[in-house]
Each structure stands twice: as C-alpha cells, then as structure tokens.
Amino acid sequence: MKQDVPAIEVKNLSKKFSGRLAVRDLSLRVNRGEILGFLGPNGSGKTTAFRMLCGLLTPDSGEGYCLGYDIRRENAWIKRHIGYMTQRFSLWEDLTVRENLAFVAQIHRLKDRRRRVREIMAEYGLAEVAGELASHLSGGWKQRLALAAALVHQPELLLLDEPTAGVDPAARRDFWDNLHHLAHAGLAILVSTHYMDEAERCHKLVCLAAGRVLEQGTAREIVARQNLHAYQVGGKDLALLARSLAGKPGVAEAIVFGNCLTVVGSQREELVATLASLPPEYPVSPAETGLEEAFIYLMGQREKER
Amino acid sequence: MSFFSPSRWLGMFLKECRQLARDRVTLAMIVVIPLAQLVIFGFAINTDPRLMPTLVVAGENSDLTRAFLASLENTGYFQIIGDASDPLAAETALATGEAQFVVNIPSDFSRRLIRGENPVILLEADATDPLAVTAALAAAEAIPGRLARRELQGTLAHLAPEVEPFRLVSHRRYNPEGITKFNIVPGMMGVILTLTMVLMTGLAITRERERGNLEMLLALPLRPLEILAGKIVPYVAIGLVQTTLVLLGARFVFAIPMLGRLTAIYGVFLVFIAANLTVGITLSSLARSQLQAMQMAVFYFLPNIVLSGFFFPFRGMPSWARFLGNLLPLTYFNRLIRGVILKGNDWPLLWPSLWPLLVFTLVMFTAALVFSRKTLD
Ligand SMILES: Nc1ncnc2c1ncn2[C@@H]1O[C@H](COP(=O)(O)OP(=O)(O)OP(=O)(O)O)[C@@H](O)[C@H]1O
Ligand SMILES: [Mg+2]
C-alpha cells in the first residue's frame, strides 16, 4: 500500500459519450482524511467522474492515480482498496443483507469474514435485518446496507454517489457524523450531493456543470469568489415581487424563503438602486450570501454563457 | 493481482447458487421444460396412432379390392373415409392433411392379377410425421400375401403361389427418410439442453446489467474468469439434473435402449452442456439487454435444430448446409448420443465427434472472456 501519496490525483480527465463530452478536463487532488464534495446539476458528469476514478469507465484522455495506482492500467488494484457506493442501489435484491455483505467480503478475500460481517452489521444497525432480502428494505435502509458493503473491507478511499438521496434528516445527520469519523481515521472520501447543507459539511467542494469544473475550494472560498451581495426583503405577496424583480438591473436571483425574499446580485450599486425603488411596504435589509445562492448564481452564469 | 482466485470464484459461485435457489420460476423451468417436452413427445404425439383417415382412388370395385380394403381397415391403422373422384382430389386431400393415406387401385387390377402380371396397389402416405405412418405401412405391406392365400382358392388357387400375386407399393411422401423415434428422442435431449442452457446463461450477465448490479460487480476486485466460471458452474449441475430427468423419461416413457455405459452417456452430456453454457455466456456478454440476449438465443437455436440432423437427415442435406451443421454442437451431440445410447459406442468410437465439441467449448469460452466487459464503456 502506498501511504505517502494523495488518495486521488488526476489531470485533465475527459470522457465522451457518442460525441458529447460528459466530463471535460477534470483535475482533482484529494488527500487522505479529506471529504471532497461534488456539486452539480443533473447530467453534469458526477457519476461519470466517479466511474472513471474507480476504473469502471476508461477516460478518453487524461491520466491520474488513485491511491498511487494508475487509473488506466492498475484498476484491478484500485478496486481492492476503494469502496464505491453507486447512485442506484446495485447490491443484489434477491440476496439477504447478510448474504450481500458476505459476498462482498468474500470477493475481497477478507480473513475472518463472518466476524467482519457481523461487526459491520452491528456498526450500521443492520443486525436486526440480517436475514431480510435486500428487496424488502426501505430506501434508507438500502443506503445503509450499501454503505456497509462499501466499507466491509476497510477501504482507503470511499466514493459515494448521492448517498443520501431520499434519506430522512436525522439519518442524514448520523450519516455525515459517521463520514467525518471515517475521514478522521484517515479515509479519503468523495461524495456527490444535491443538498447544500451536506456540501457545507465537506472539507472541499468541486462545482461541476456540463462536465466542466466551474469552481473548486472550500464552501467559504467559493461563496466569496462569486462576489455576491444579498439583501432580504420583507412584506406581502413576495412571490409576485420576485417575478417582477427578475431581470431588473443588478438582480441575479430573487428567491422566496417563507416570509422573506432574498435578492442576490453581483453589481452592488445597481442592485441597491433597484431595491431602493421598491414601495415602502417592502423593508430591505442586508443579508449573508449562502452557498445555495452562490451555487445557483454560478449555474445561472454558466447558462448565460451558452 | 492474480488472474484467478479460487476463493473469489467460490464467492461468485455461491452467490449464483443462492440467487438460483430463490428464483422459483427458473427452477420450475429446469424441471418443467424437459418433462413437458417428453410428455408431449410421449403422449400427445402418439407414435403409434390408429384409425388414420384414408382415401381410396378405386379404378375397380371387385370382390378382391373390397377384400383388400377390408383387410386394410382390419389392421386398425386405416379408416377409409371415402372414395376420391379422381387422383387430383386425392392429392389435394393428402396435401391438406385431410387424408393421411391414399390407396390407388388400378382400373385393370383383377384382369392383370388373373393374367399373373403382378399388379401394383399404390399406398401413398403423408410421412411428414414418420412416426405416425411407420407402423401402419408395415402392417399394410403384410396384406397381399395373407390375402392371396385366403381369397384365391378353388380355380384361382394356382395364382396363389409362394410369390405374392400382387404387390403393395408404399410411397412415403414429404419425408422419404422416415426417422424413427429412436432417432428423435435422443435428438430431443440435445434440443432441450440447447434451449435451456443457452437461454439461462444467456440471461445471466444481462440480468446483472439490467438490474444495475453490473456496476457493483465490476467495481469489486473480480476478474472476468472468476465471474464467468462462477456463473457457469451452477448451471452445469442444473444441466446434469435435466440430463437425468430426460434420460429417465427416454428409458421409461419411450423404452429407448441404453446400450452404452452410463459414464460415457454422462460424459457426452457433460461436454455438450459445457459447450452450450459457453455459448450462452458469450451471448450474454454481447447482448445489451435480456430481450436482446433472448433474441440471440433463438437465433442460435434455430440453425441448431434445422442443420444438426435433428429434423432433416444430415446425409440428405446439401454440402453447404452440412458445412454449417458441422460448426454446431448439436450436430456432434446427435451423433454422439445416438452412438452411445443406441449403438453402445464407448470412448474410442466417441472421440471423433467428441473432440470437435471440446474445441468448440474452448473457443467459445475464450470468446466469452474476450467479449466480457471489464468496464461499463
Ligand atoms: N453510459 C452512458 N452512455 C451515454 N451517455 C451517458 C452515459 N452515462 C452518462 N451519460 C451522459 O453523460 C452526461 C453526464 O451524466 P452523469 O450520469 O455523469 O451525470 P450526473 O452528474 O451523475 O447526473 P445526476 O445528478 O442526474 O446523477 C449526461 O449527459 C448523460 O446523459
Ligand atoms: Mg449521477
């Protein structure tokens, strides 16, 4: 095992599907103990990137190393040291929880497999459903099983493709607490998500759109780099107001949150002028720009470029 | 990383067995297909049917011809459904299947008989299903001699010598070769195995793909050889179970003699099963979906039936068809199984048809490995 190398180091990975680039020029570096979040709209190439990293897809161009192994030539070795949780549940529905885990453990040729399977089932609260067919589990439990299967062999790198889609908030919190615990123990984790609260819990983020990396860095850095100004507007009929503000000078986004409206823009003077022209029943106050505003702004900019 | 790990293979093998054990439909198919086929062949298709519709084109209506027709009916196989007005109508009835037999009695039958000219009664049979007519024809052919001794007495007694005074000539129409059930049943075994083995393994990998399991399978440190071997081996066991069922059926439903040694019989089956499994697994690697795999399996299945000598006698086929037939495992299996079951052939005599099967298996397995997907590309 190569301990002194970064968990992932890839340069300019590109992948085409029938002529269309699904990922272009992806360069990444992930250290051990780090949680890297992949953020991007549907079809932006997150899953494709994951698959290239674990050797399921061959990149058309670019090169790199996972855990010190060449992703083109040595993917047999990579597979032994990574845990991959696929976006779609991909364990066997006609096997029980225990059988699924035992199968994965056997394929990894673990010593003392039974004990390890029992251990991981206890760790992830699967012991009580050990004899259930995977097809009988609810969505959240399937996710748990998939995570356990990705961790049976104590991998050094964990790839999680939208692991918490459809999972309840409490379970999500536990899940992320556990991820931090694993990262603390030295695991490198790559996780894709559509939830901003989860993105904020990552050490670093990569924002993808149409296969291209738009931003890379911590959540704070990404927000700061957008150089956005946000204001909150109170009052009634905010949905109508949001409509009428859209497209006005300086307004990039106008989003209703319950009973206040957040207006975001990059040109401060124009935005202030536009908001000043509002009737007095709409009180305006400055606000913090969150990751969500920054991300949506980023995606909006990208749309305009096209 | 090693090319093949017995322990990883075992994991794959056990997983397949567990899944198979839960797959009630497939399990039922394994038992039901061979049994159903055998039952259909054993009972629904009566190999010795009786009272088959018979038309008469009577050029003459005399005591003698009436006696002949009565004897025909007395065999139990023939039921005279009427007189055909002319040979053309009879021909049509035979072609449409309205009549199974047509009896042609020449108009000058009695006169030529008395002159000692050895007249001929022509018995035409629709032999598309040779099983149906074989026994009937045999019974009919015994009539002239018997009839002559009984009818030609008194002044005509001198016409009933040792040689038969008139002849019955039978024409098997549409299927001159007349394959017997001894030929059909062993062939049937091969057809059943081809169908089930290719179909079941044909779905083995496309099923994983369609259910989304392929991504997991490929993300695990499994080598193609382990995946393929892990998937094939459980089906070998299933194939042997089918073999046993089919052999028992052949022995006890059809009373097919089993002259060869049991080890040789099972050996032949084992090699043939392996050949079909490798075909299935190759198709499975090539197909994109279960439907496609199924279509490919049918596409493979048809020439096997047509060109292997199962339906049409191999020696009767044109040389190009024989060439194609010689590329198919069922062709060799047909020769092998008839040899071992009906002629009691042992290894030295089986070898010439056995090694092509082994080569075929090896080539197909290599193809399966080459075509097997190591990535999702
Ligand atoms: N096997 C494939 N064949 C053809 N096109 C593909 C294939 N896989 C992905 N694509 C295309 O590549 C692009 C990126 O898809 P990908 O699945 O990587 O997106 P994603 O970011 O994971 O999306 P989502 O958030 O919906 O999961 C899409 O346009 C998709 O249609
Ligand atoms: Mg995806």
Side-chain angles (χ1 to χ4, degrees):
Chain A
M1 252 167 266
K2 308 178 180 178
Q3 282 297 344
D4 45 343
V5 292
I8 298 178
E9 182 151 42
V10 294
K11 282 206 183 71
N12 303 326
L13 291 189
S14 296
K15 181 74 192 174
K16 256 186 210 154
F17 288 116
S18 48
R20 273 188 37 230
L21 274 165
V23 168
R24 68 179 85 182
D25 291 334
L26 176 71
S27 300
L28 281 183
R29 189 191 158 100
V30 185
N31 293 315
R32 286 162 201 267
E34 209 167 53
I35 303 180
L36 179 77
F38 262 51
L39 233 50
N42 295 134
S44 55
K46 303 181 294 293
T47 302
T48 308
F50 279 31
R51 286 176 174 166
M52 283 196 284
L53 290 174
C54 61
L56 285 179
L57 287 174
T58 325
D60 293 329
S61 61
E63 61 207 32
Y65 296 88
C66 263
L67 304 167
Y69 299 108
D70 189 310
I71 58 166
R72 285 173 184 278
R73 281 185 296 278
E74 295 175 304
N75 56 37
W77 289 96
I78 296 176
K79 288 173 184 176
R80 292 172 72 166
H81 300 294
I82 62 167
Y84 177 33
M85 186 172 159
T86 53
Q87 181 171 2
R88 175 179 166 194
F89 182 73
S90 60
L91 289 162
W92 288 267
E93 304 232 344
D94 49 357
L95 294 182
T96 64
V97 168
R98 186 191 287 112
E99 287 166 353
N100 267 304
L101 292 172
F103 170 66
V104 175
Q106 174 137 30
I107 297 308
H108 283 290
R109 294 201 286 185
L110 300 185
K111 294 197 184 70
D112 212 353
R113 282 196 299 276
R114 278 163 189 272
R115 200 181 48 81
R116 179 64 191 140
V117 168
R118 256 202 321 271
E119 215 173 78
I120 195 104
M121 285 199 302
E123 211 170 311
Y124 288 90
L126 291 164
E128 54 193 284
V129 292
E132 294 271 350
L133 288 182
S135 58
H136 294 173
L137 298 180
S138 76
W141 282 88
K142 277 186 187 165
Q143 308 277 51
R144 231 188 261 200
L145 169 58
L147 180 67
L151 287 167
V152 188
H153 58 298
Q154 294 166 313
E156 295 168 53
L157 169 63
L158 199 53
L159 303 179
L160 307 170
D161 199 355
E162 294 187 32
T164 55
V167 174
D168 70 60
R172 265 191 326 132
R173 170 153 303 175
D174 289 348
F175 182 89
W176 274 87
D177 286 346
N178 183 40
L179 286 196
H180 275 279
H181 184 74
L182 291 168
H184 184 73
L187 206 66
I189 301 175
L190 214 65
V191 53
S192 73
T193 181
H194 291 299
Y195 298 112
M196 292 303 143
D197 58 328
E198 292 188 347
E200 277 167 342
R201 293 192 71 174
C202 297
H203 296 127
K204 273 201 215 153
L205 290 174
V206 170
C207 291
L208 286 174
R212 207 194 313 233
V213 177
L214 296 186
E215 281 287 358
Q216 219 174 138
T218 64
R220 200 183 291 267
E221 283 166 5
I222 290 174
V223 174
R225 242 178 270 148
Q226 304 319 309
N227 203 11
L228 289 178
H229 307 280
Y231 291 90
Q232 270 183 0
V233 182
K236 277 194 272 185
D237 295 329
L238 291 174
L240 282 178
L241 181 64
R243 284 252 174 102
S244 65
L245 278 175
K248 289 270 171 58
V251 178
E253 304 164 42
I255 315 146
V256 185
F257 287 98
N259 38 24
C260 74
L261 175 72
T262 303
V263 186
V264 182
S266 52
Q267 305 309 118
R268 182 171 190 163
E269 287 73 35
E270 286 181 14
L271 181 59
V272 169
T274 304
L275 291 176
S277 68
L278 288 178
E281 62 262 36
Y282 294 113
V284 177
S285 57
E288 281 273 309
T289 323
L291 182 59
E292 179 157 342
E293 287 86 45
F295 178 70
I296 292 175
Y297 174 76
L298 197 56
M299 295 305 142
Q301 288 303 105
R302 163 82 219 144
E303 283 297 303
K304 272 183 213 150
E305 277 171 34
R306 282 220 240 158
Chain B
M1 206 166 97
S2 65
F3 189 51
F4 181 81
S5 139
S7 146
R8 284 197 300 258
W9 168 80
L10 186 67
M12 193 69 205
F13 169 77
L14 289 175
K15 165 187 156 299
E16 290 300 312
C17 290
R18 290 209 171 96
Q19 288 183 291
L20 263 174
R22 295 222 169 89
D23 188 353
R24 298 261 159 72
V25 178
T26 303
L27 280 186
M29 245 175 54
I30 289 159
V31 178
V32 169
I33 288 185
L35 287 186
Q37 300 270 24
L38 276 175
V39 166
I40 288 168
F41 267 70
F43 300 109
I45 300 174
N46 192 346
T47 55
D48 195 19
R50 300 190 167 250
L51 293 178
M52 287 177 281
T54 306
L55 268 181
V56 181
V57 182
E60 167 184 316
N61 193 350
S62 63
D63 282 350
L64 201 57
T65 63
R66 276 194 299 278
F68 170 77
L69 292 176
S71 306
L72 210 53
E73 284 203 297
N74 284 342
T75 62
Y77 290 109
F78 303 89
Q79 182 177 34
I80 292 171
I81 54 171
D83 287 325
S85 44
D86 60 303
L88 206 66
E91 179 77 29
T92 312
L94 204 60
T96 56
E98 199 183 313
Q100 182 93 31
F101 300 97
V102 172
V103 184
N104 292 283
I105 302 173
S107 54
D108 49 358
F109 179 72
S110 295
R111 194 153 43 90
R112 294 180 57 193
L113 181 74
I114 291 168
R115 285 203 207 132
E117 280 179 3
N118 241 312
V120 167
I121 291 180
L122 179 66
L123 181 58
E124 289 178 289
D126 171 1
T128 41
D129 180 3
L131 299 180
V133 299
T134 302
L137 289 179
E141 275 154 18
I143 293 176
R146 207 158 16 89
L147 201 62
R149 280 186 291 280
R150 205 179 68 214
E151 296 287 321
L152 303 176
Q153 286 165 356
T155 53
L156 292 175
H158 70 280
L159 288 173
E162 298 313 299
V163 282
E164 291 165 0
F166 70 97
R167 284 181 299 140
L168 183 90
V169 172
S170 55
H171 279 181
R172 287 167 182 268
R173 302 282 304 271
Y174 313 121
N175 181 3
E177 294 289 328
I179 309 162
T180 70
K181 75 172 175 181
F182 283 5
N183 230 348
I184 283 279
V185 171
M188 210 45 223
M189 301 173 178
V191 171
I192 291 169
L193 280 173
T194 304
L195 184 66
T196 50
M197 294 287 105
V198 173
L199 213 53
M200 279 193 293
T201 42
L203 300 183
I205 288 172
T206 44
R207 190 187 299 124
E208 303 261 12
R209 165 185 285 274
E210 270 183 23
R211 293 184 185 169
N213 304 129
L214 193 63
E215 193 171 3
M216 177 58 68
L217 212 53
L218 294 180
L220 289 171
L222 274 164
R223 312 313 310 262
L225 187 60
E226 293 153 4
I227 296 182
L228 295 190
K231 283 199 168 284
I232 285 180
V233 175
Y235 290 101
V236 173
I238 287 176
L240 288 176
V241 169
Q242 286 196 327
T243 300
T244 307
L245 285 175
V246 170
L247 282 175
L248 287 175
R251 184 78 194 83
F252 295 109
V253 179
F254 290 96
I256 303 281
M258 300 280 166
L259 299 182
R261 277 196 296 159
L262 214 55
T263 47
I265 294 177
Y266 272 91
V268 165
F269 270 105
L270 198 64
V271 175
F272 181 63
I273 287 168
N276 279 311
L277 291 178
T278 53
V279 171
I281 218 89
T282 306
L283 296 186
S284 201
S285 307
L286 289 173
R288 291 247 137 208
S289 65
Q290 294 202 55
L291 185 67
Q292 230 178 50
M294 217 114 98
Q295 289 169 333
M296 287 183 180
V298 170
F299 192 73
Y300 170 77
F301 186 59
L302 289 180
N304 261 292
I305 289 194
V306 176
L307 298 177
S308 65
F310 169 66
F311 263 171
F312 309 117
F314 198 76
R315 292 204 175 83
M317 298 194 306
S319 60
W320 62 266
R322 268 182 299 182
F323 172 77
L324 289 180
N326 273 329
L327 299 174
L328 300 170
L330 191 56
T331 307
Y332 297 97
F333 177 77
N334 278 338
R335 290 180 202 158
L336 285 168
I337 206 65
R338 285 167 189 166
V340 71
I341 288 188
L342 303 176
K343 302 178 191 162
N345 290 351
D346 215 8
W347 296 115
L349 285 173
L350 295 175
W351 183 243
S353 289
L354 203 57
W355 71 258
L357 266 189
L358 289 168
V359 170
F360 179 91
T361 307
L362 208 66
V363 169
M364 270 296 156
F365 192 70
T366 314
L369 273 180
V370 170
F371 291 133
S372 73
R373 296 167 198 279
K374 288 141 202 113
T375 66
L376 291 170
D377 285 285

